[in-house]
Amino acid sequence: GIRHLRQAIGGLARRASWSDAADGAISLAGALLHRGRARDAQTALDEAQGYAVRAGCDRLLIDIATLAGDAWVSLARLDEAERVLGAALAGAKAAGDCAQSTAASVSLARCLFWRGHYADAQTVLGALPDGVSATLGSRHSRLAARIAVGQADLRSAMSTIADAKQRY
């Protein structure tokens, strides 16, 4: 599937369909991150950034920054991750996009969690807004439970997981 996705992205780029090529490269980076290939995901994100700039689409740039931050966290480069994710969160909030704000918040909270800054991570994560996708909601709930464990609040962690099981 990844090989076919790369071919499709190349075809879209040759046809100057920049927005679609950027979407494809973002999907490719997400798949690579899911497989634990953070360096390869960064390469795909660099390509996606070039396509998104050519398309003139800020929405895509926010998604790219969020995934880039996730890649940096996966590589244990937390300073870079925090910088990129802070910018992604600010951009998403300025754009007023709830889904992008939530995704960037979850990623930034994950970075802060790995730094051991549990209270800051909990503050950044915040409450789960209504209307987010099941995938993002599940990710939010799992991270909230991890943060609660980091704060030695096992009752809250178990409650969060139980609620997530019923919801998702």
Side-chain angles (χ1 to χ4, degrees):
I2 288 177
R3 181 172 25 111
H4 291 295
L5 184 54
R6 287 183 194 274
Q7 290 172 349
I9 293 165
L12 291 166
R14 284 190 298 279
R15 289 171 183 80
S17 182
W18 304 121
S19 180
D20 293 331
D23 278 333
I26 290 168
S27 295
L28 174 62
L32 292 168
L33 269 176
H34 184 72
R35 290 176 170 242
R37 297 171 51 189
R39 291 271 182 221
D40 293 334
Q42 285 180 321
T43 302
L45 289 169
D46 288 342
E47 290 176 19
Q49 183 178 6
Y51 300 146
V53 167
R54 287 180 176 159
C57 187
D58 293 338
R59 176 190 60 82
L60 292 172
L61 291 171
I62 294 169
D63 290 339
I64 292 165
T66 301
L67 274 175
D70 282 336
W72 283 122
V73 171
S74 294
L75 293 169
R77 303 285 302 268
L78 301 178
D79 289 335
E80 290 90 344
E82 190 171 355
R83 179 178 41 82
V84 170
L85 291 168
L89 181 57
K93 284 185 177 183
D97 190 313
C98 180
Q100 284 185 321
S101 294
T102 302
S105 294
V106 169
S107 295
L108 181 56
R110 177 177 170 241
C111 176
L112 294 169
F113 170 82
W114 283 111
R115 282 184 173 265
H117 300 199
Y118 305 123
D120 293 338
Q122 186 176 27
T123 300
V124 167
L125 187 62
L128 181 63
D130 293 331
V132 298
S133 70
T135 303
L136 187 55
S138 175
R139 189 172 173 220
H140 182 282
S141 296
R142 288 186 318 237
L143 183 58
R146 287 183 186 119
I147 292 168
V149 169
Q151 293 176 318
D153 186 359
L154 299 180
R155 178 169 290 155
S156 176
M158 294 304 292
S159 172
T160 300
I161 291 299
D163 290 345
K165 278 185 170 181
Q166 288 179 346
R167 196 174 306 148
Y168 307 108

